[in-house]
Amino acid sequence: VMLDKIIDSCNYVVNNSKNVKINYEKLDNFIKDIDCNNLKNWLLFNPNNLLEFDISTLINFLLIFESIDYCFWGNPKWEIIADDGSKKDGSDALLYCMLKLFRIKGLNELEYLSIDEFKKILNGNVEIPLLKERYETLIKNVKIVKEKMNGDFYNYIKDIYKDEELFNIIIENFDSFSDFRIYNDKKIYFYKLAQLLTSDILHIREYLENCTVDYSKLLGCADYKIPQTLRAIGILEYNKELLNIIDNGKELEKGSEFEVEIRASQLFVINYIKNKINVNAIDINDYLFLYSKKVKTIAKPYHLCKNTNY
């Protein structure tokens, strides 16, 4: 099972890690104060009136949006001005732009979107990083839904309520969700966006369709925000060379030892917490993501790595 491969491969990295160490004393202390009882999936906060879509449109939207929801940093950082005059950046800005696009064009019309139209929709202070890659992924995934799924991803997956099944359908049909690295000649699996999409679809269906779903096998979304938080708390410790790179805003190479060890350590920590307190790993992931607000004032920069995975 692919989800098992993720944690097994991340455990291997942590056991062989040269640059990133886990401070178990800090980790055990942190666990004592965790309260995952009041966690709500981000979709339930209804950003940009997302929930006004019917369930089918919403899930088709999430597939397309989350396949291109990665890598926003730059100097300066890409940001947009919303219709109400407010500034938005990162994932929030992409969500805003893509919702606007979806309200004009349905999923199947997106196949005919030109790169110039796409660029215009994402118009900001600078060009969004990896514009071409995002555009190509969007067009490709729309075509897959059209050709393989009769133009409706929701209809294709509507009888699936278990995370493993849904996750497998996503990674088997859409290769843009592929997310692995090679470390010591071994394949290390992450699948950040595929896990995020699986989690979001199941959470939103549980909420809107009042059905019973299972997302207990998901492991977490290895990105840059949660390791930044874990470092601020003192749970992740980096060696001098890595600290120097991150704190001076230098880029890490995709697939470098540094990058793989940071991402694997995050998933290892989440799994460790899960085994101690018996809460779903994806809920711990979301808890840590929200916790970043608490450590904002003491957090050092996050690692920079140009890629289409996170």
Side-chain angles (χ1 to χ4, degrees), residues 19 238-248 250 252 257-258:
N19 309 285
Y238 300 161
N239 69 5
K240 251 190 185 147
E241 192 185 351
L242 181 52
L243 287 176
N244 184 34
I245 294 170
I246 295 176
D247 293 347
N248 289 304
K250 295 179 195 159
L252 293 183
E257 258 181 17
F258 296 131

Short mmCIF file of all heavy atoms in Angstrom, two decimals, residues 19 238-248 250 252 257-258:
data_model
loop_
_atom_site.label_atom_id
_atom_site.label_comp_id
_atom_site.label_asym_id
_atom_site.label_seq_id
_atom_site.Cartn_x
_atom_site.Cartn_y
_atom_site.Cartn_z
N ASN A 19 21.75 15.95 8.62
CA ASN A 19 21.62 17.41 8.77
C ASN A 19 20.47 17.87 9.66
O ASN A 19 20.45 18.98 10.14
CB ASN A 19 21.43 18.05 7.39
CG ASN A 19 22.49 17.58 6.40
OD1 ASN A 19 23.62 18.01 6.45
ND2 ASN A 19 22.11 16.67 5.50
N TYR A 238 18.63 21.81 13.07
CA TYR A 238 19.40 21.73 11.82
C TYR A 238 20.88 21.97 12.10
O TYR A 238 21.23 22.73 13.00
CB TYR A 238 18.92 22.80 10.83
CG TYR A 238 17.46 22.69 10.43
CD1 TYR A 238 16.79 23.78 9.87
CD2 TYR A 238 16.75 21.50 10.60
CE1 TYR A 238 15.46 23.69 9.49
CE2 TYR A 238 15.42 21.40 10.23
CZ TYR A 238 14.77 22.50 9.67
OH TYR A 238 13.46 22.40 9.29
N ASN A 239 21.75 21.32 11.31
CA ASN A 239 23.18 21.57 11.50
C ASN A 239 23.57 22.93 10.92
O ASN A 239 22.77 23.60 10.25
CB ASN A 239 24.02 20.42 10.91
CG ASN A 239 23.97 20.36 9.39
OD1 ASN A 239 23.39 21.22 8.73
ND2 ASN A 239 24.57 19.34 8.83
N LYS A 240 24.80 23.34 11.20
CA LYS A 240 25.27 24.69 10.86
C LYS A 240 25.11 25.03 9.38
O LYS A 240 24.64 26.11 9.02
CB LYS A 240 26.76 24.81 11.24
CG LYS A 240 26.98 25.72 12.42
CD LYS A 240 28.47 26.00 12.58
CE LYS A 240 28.71 26.81 13.85
NZ LYS A 240 29.98 26.49 14.47
N GLU A 241 25.50 24.09 8.54
CA GLU A 241 25.46 24.34 7.10
C GLU A 241 24.03 24.61 6.62
O GLU A 241 23.76 25.55 5.86
CB GLU A 241 26.03 23.11 6.35
CG GLU A 241 26.30 23.39 4.89
CD GLU A 241 26.75 22.15 4.13
OE1 GLU A 241 27.04 21.10 4.76
OE2 GLU A 241 26.82 22.24 2.90
N LEU A 242 23.10 23.80 7.10
CA LEU A 242 21.70 23.96 6.71
C LEU A 242 21.11 25.26 7.28
O LEU A 242 20.40 25.99 6.58
CB LEU A 242 20.89 22.74 7.17
CG LEU A 242 19.40 22.72 6.83
CD1 LEU A 242 19.15 22.97 5.35
CD2 LEU A 242 18.76 21.39 7.25
N LEU A 243 21.43 25.56 8.53
CA LEU A 243 20.97 26.82 9.14
C LEU A 243 21.43 28.02 8.31
O LEU A 243 20.67 28.96 8.06
CB LEU A 243 21.52 26.98 10.56
CG LEU A 243 20.91 26.09 11.65
CD1 LEU A 243 21.64 26.31 12.97
CD2 LEU A 243 19.43 26.37 11.82
N ASN A 244 22.67 27.98 7.91
CA ASN A 244 23.27 29.06 7.13
C ASN A 244 22.51 29.27 5.81
O ASN A 244 22.21 30.40 5.42
CB ASN A 244 24.75 28.71 6.89
CG ASN A 244 25.46 29.83 6.18
OD1 ASN A 244 25.16 31.01 6.39
ND2 ASN A 244 26.38 29.50 5.30
N ILE A 245 22.19 28.17 5.15
CA ILE A 245 21.47 28.25 3.86
C ILE A 245 20.07 28.85 4.08
O ILE A 245 19.68 29.81 3.41
CB ILE A 245 21.34 26.85 3.21
CG1 ILE A 245 22.73 26.32 2.82
CG2 ILE A 245 20.43 26.89 1.99
CD1 ILE A 245 22.75 24.86 2.40
N ILE A 246 19.33 28.29 5.03
CA ILE A 246 17.93 28.72 5.23
C ILE A 246 17.86 30.16 5.74
O ILE A 246 17.11 30.98 5.20
CB ILE A 246 17.20 27.77 6.21
CG1 ILE A 246 17.09 26.37 5.60
CG2 ILE A 246 15.80 28.30 6.54
CD1 ILE A 246 16.47 25.32 6.50
N ASP A 247 18.66 30.46 6.75
CA ASP A 247 18.55 31.79 7.38
C ASP A 247 19.07 32.92 6.49
O ASP A 247 18.75 34.08 6.70
CB ASP A 247 19.24 31.80 8.74
CG ASP A 247 18.50 30.91 9.74
OD1 ASP A 247 17.37 30.51 9.43
OD2 ASP A 247 19.06 30.60 10.81
N ASN A 248 19.83 32.56 5.47
CA ASN A 248 20.30 33.58 4.51
C ASN A 248 19.48 33.58 3.22
O ASN A 248 19.85 34.22 2.23
CB ASN A 248 21.79 33.38 4.19
CG ASN A 248 22.65 33.76 5.40
OD1 ASN A 248 22.55 34.88 5.90
ND2 ASN A 248 23.44 32.82 5.89
N LYS A 250 18.96 31.33 1.02
CA LYS A 250 19.49 30.64 -0.17
C LYS A 250 18.60 29.45 -0.50
O LYS A 250 17.99 28.86 0.39
CB LYS A 250 20.92 30.15 0.10
CG LYS A 250 21.93 31.27 0.31
CD LYS A 250 23.29 30.65 0.60
CE LYS A 250 24.25 31.69 1.19
NZ LYS A 250 25.35 31.02 1.92
N LEU A 252 17.48 25.69 -1.54
CA LEU A 252 17.88 24.28 -1.45
C LEU A 252 17.56 23.63 -2.78
O LEU A 252 16.52 23.91 -3.39
CB LEU A 252 17.09 23.55 -0.37
CG LEU A 252 17.30 23.92 1.09
CD1 LEU A 252 16.47 23.00 1.97
CD2 LEU A 252 18.76 23.81 1.48
N GLU A 257 19.90 16.27 -0.02
CA GLU A 257 19.80 15.65 1.31
C GLU A 257 19.03 16.55 2.27
O GLU A 257 18.21 16.10 3.04
CB GLU A 257 21.22 15.46 1.88
CG GLU A 257 21.73 14.06 1.80
CD GLU A 257 23.12 13.92 2.41
OE1 GLU A 257 23.57 14.81 3.16
OE2 GLU A 257 23.77 12.91 2.11
N PHE A 258 19.37 17.83 2.21
CA PHE A 258 18.72 18.81 3.11
C PHE A 258 17.21 18.78 2.96
O PHE A 258 16.47 18.66 3.93
CB PHE A 258 19.20 20.24 2.78
CG PHE A 258 20.66 20.48 3.02
CD1 PHE A 258 21.45 21.09 2.05
CD2 PHE A 258 21.26 20.14 4.23
CE1 PHE A 258 22.79 21.35 2.26
CE2 PHE A 258 22.61 20.39 4.46
CZ PHE A 258 23.38 20.99 3.47
#
